[in-house]
Amino acid sequence: MTDLLPRPVRFDRTGGSFDLPSGAGVTGPVGPVDSLRRALPVLDLRPAGHGPVTVTEDPALGEEAYALEVTPEGVRITAGGRAGAFYAGQTLRQALGAEAFRAATARDSWTVPCGRVEDAPAFSWRGVHLDVARHFLPKREVLRMVDLMAAHKLNRLHLHLVDDQGWRIESRVAPRLHEIGSHRPRTITSLRGEEDAFDEVPHGGHYTLGDLTEIAAYARARAVTVVPEIDVPGHASAILAAYPSLGARAADGREPAPFTVLDRWGISPAILSPLPETIEFLTAVFDELLGALGETPYVHIGGDECVLDDWAASPAITAFREELGLAEPSDLHAWFLRRLADELAGRGSRAVVWDEAFVSGALRTDTIVMPWRGTGVARRAAEAGHDVVQTPVFPLYFDYAESASEDEPIAIGDAITLADVAAFDPAPSSWTAGQRGRVLGAQFQLWSERLPDGRAVDYRAWPRGCALAEVTWSGAAGADFPERLTRHLDRLDALGVEYRPPSGPRPWQLGGAGHRRHRPRAVKVEEVMRRLEEMTHLADSTRPSIAGDGA
């Protein structure tokens, strides 16, 4: 068990081993036992009155904490709750060897080294952001991501369900959202500086409400919480293509401006009207979404990259703003997001926003901030009393290439390396104790302009995701992380993950030869971070910080 990843709080090797037969009996409370069995499907443990595997529950440990002891006589687990039992199972799975990560084997027994593990996470939010709006991923890929998260003790799946390029959920109260907003006729293939070119292939898809119920239940059973994102009031082309009456122009009684689901990357000036009718419309959609997902402790409402020009130019919206006693369109941006957060709070969900919403001000005190534009604005949000989930472009935007090389598949920019992620500190020691206490954790972002399918997602997510799993679970990557990762890659191979090898892409993963080559240094992440930090201090902070389509 010396190659555990993420690194546990404590591990003591005691010598010897225990032979654990497949189909062995497991005893203990039903909930934790079910979670343990789900973490170890290859073992086919059977609930029984007695057996070599025993589970006890001790809530004093904390829901996600556990102790695992293997002796020559058997396996004993003490778990703080169902999640703790599940994570104990994942640790035991690693101790069994890489073959335990296959869907099925012909083995009748497994040799487990004896030892004791005591473990609990450093951060409560250990997340993955999956953009299914730019490129839709079928349900099977979402469920697979849940499995990969669970294997790494990651516990928040942030689904970016809405953007200019697509709306991805069924709506029965507003069916045009999925009937019109879920597909586009083509997708741009040219890069910045090139003449526009498109693939002329329709792209689309959406999850039914039944799919969402399934995804949430599947995730919940694996200690993963789904965090849905409906990004408003900007990034609204797909919404307005379906319901143009929600746009700012229509607020003045004029013919609504025509909108289409965007077929190119970048950011549209399309923005929803902030009038009460829009709040009512979105509230009905949120009710439908929450009804499908079940208990949903967090809902992301976006707030990023909003061009407020249409609000400023609208007499009706200006009159409404003045009636509210608000001085600037940015104040109305803050008011709009707070109203949605109030509605969600009444339904038992905390709002989550990108950092532009914090800069606009007037957030509910319980609103969680995701500061994508750097740790400077993150510290300001924490100082203001907001819980923070660290999401900075550097080093947690995994749509950036892992090296500045033409061998890489096309990416928005470069470079964010495995070592960069492993060195990340979500709660820097330079912050005050109060500021550090506001950091819930961190998550990596998989924006999908350059991620058309599951193979591309695998390549970008892993093994950099392994590094963030260790950082968020263990508090920091251990000095021996590279050595443990080398052995952990055998587990990824058994799981069928098409990760990027630390030494570089495999021949079929290379840029070129039918794939667009990466353009090294076309977008430099260090320059991006400087510009983003500057933007967080401007009065016009909501305006998009990065123009164009990336690489």
Side-chain angles (χ1 to χ4, degrees), residues 366-432:
D366 62 353
T367 296
I368 298 169
V369 177
M370 287 189 170
W372 69 281
R373 295 184 292 180
T375 53
V377 69
R379 187 172 190 172
R380 285 152 52 198
E383 179 63 26
H386 290 286
D387 287 339
V388 167
V389 176
Q390 297 280 26
T391 58
V393 170
F394 181 84
L396 299 184
Y397 268 36
F398 286 7
D399 50 332
Y400 278 73
E402 292 157 86
S403 70
S405 168
E406 289 186 354
D407 286 343
E408 293 291 338
I410 188 66
I412 189 172
D414 57 67
I416 293 174
T417 68
L418 177 67
D420 291 330
V421 181
F424 181 64
D425 184 357
S429 59
S430 59
W431 291 19
T432 67

Side-chain angles (χ1 to χ4, degrees), residues 70-372:
V70 181
T71 69
E73 290 73 42
V75 177
R76 293 194 296 271
I77 292 168
T78 304
R82 295 184 65 135
F86 185 83
Y87 293 140
Q90 292 295 346
T91 297
L92 181 57
R93 187 186 188 191
Q94 291 194 12
L96 298 176
E99 287 298 299
F101 288 79
R102 297 191 179 279
T105 74
R107 294 182 62 163
D108 295 325
S109 66
W110 304 79
T111 299
V112 193
C114 292
R116 179 175 175 82
V117 175
E118 296 177 4
D119 210 2
F123 294 99
S124 63
W125 192 296
R126 308 179 301 279
V128 174
H129 164 283
L130 191 60
D131 173 11
V132 295
R134 272 53 175 269
H135 275 107
F136 178 72
L137 286 175
K139 179 182 64 178
R140 65 177 180 273
E141 295 291 348
V142 178
L143 298 179
R144 181 172 177 271
M145 178 58 79
V146 170
D147 287 335
L148 294 178
M149 291 174 63
H152 292 87
K153 300 185 174 74
L154 295 163
N155 70 345
R156 300 284 187 265
L157 177 58
H158 175 174
L159 285 178
H160 187 77
L161 294 163
V162 179
D163 217 296
D164 289 303
Q165 293 81 13
W167 173 280
R168 301 300 177 207
I169 52 179
E170 177 191 14
S171 176
R172 295 172 188 167
V173 299
R176 290 170 63 88
L177 287 173
H178 67 268
E179 292 170 354
I180 293 174
S182 70
H183 55 94
R184 57 182 183 262
R186 60 182 188 173
T187 301
I188 196 166
T189 57
S190 52
L191 305 180
R192 181 185 297 171
E194 299 177 347
E195 184 177 350
D196 283 357
F198 298 84
D199 60 11
E200 305 303 336
V201 177
H203 178 84
H206 69 275
Y207 308 111
T208 67
L209 296 177
D211 291 337
L212 294 174
T213 299
E214 178 186 0
I215 289 168
Y218 189 88
R220 201 173 291 119
R222 288 155 182 80
V224 172
T225 298
V226 172
V227 182
E229 181 181 0
I230 305 295
D231 194 355
V232 292
H235 289 272
S237 296
I239 301 174
L240 292 174
Y243 291 96
S245 61
L246 296 174
R249 180 184 176 94
D252 296 312
R254 294 177 289 167
E255 184 69 22
F259 292 94
T260 60
V261 180
L262 282 196
D263 57 9
R264 62 184 64 234
W265 313 129
I267 300 156
S268 164
I271 189 168
L272 299 177
S273 159
L275 299 182
E277 294 81 0
T278 304
I279 299 286
E280 293 171 9
F281 178 92
L282 291 173
T283 299
V285 172
F286 280 128
D287 281 340
E288 195 171 38
L289 175 64
L290 296 175
L293 292 174
E295 183 182 357
T296 307
Y298 315 101
V299 175
H300 204 303
I301 55 177
D304 63 314
E305 298 178 321
C306 297
V307 181
L308 303 179
D309 295 349
D310 284 353
W311 286 9
S314 166
I317 292 174
T318 299
F320 179 67
R321 172 175 58 77
E322 293 173 346
E323 181 183 333
L324 293 172
L326 303 174
E328 301 292 340
S330 59
D331 299 323
L332 187 56
H333 173 264
W335 175 89
F336 178 84
L337 292 168
R338 178 158 187 151
R339 280 287 295 111
L340 289 177
D342 287 341
E343 294 291 345
L344 289 169
R347 291 156 174 79
S349 299
R350 286 180 74 180
V352 188
V353 295
W354 299 111
D355 64 63
E356 289 94 332
F358 161 71
V359 175
S360 289
L363 292 177
R364 287 175 56 96
T365 56
D366 62 353
T367 296
I368 298 169
V369 177
M370 287 189 170
W372 69 281

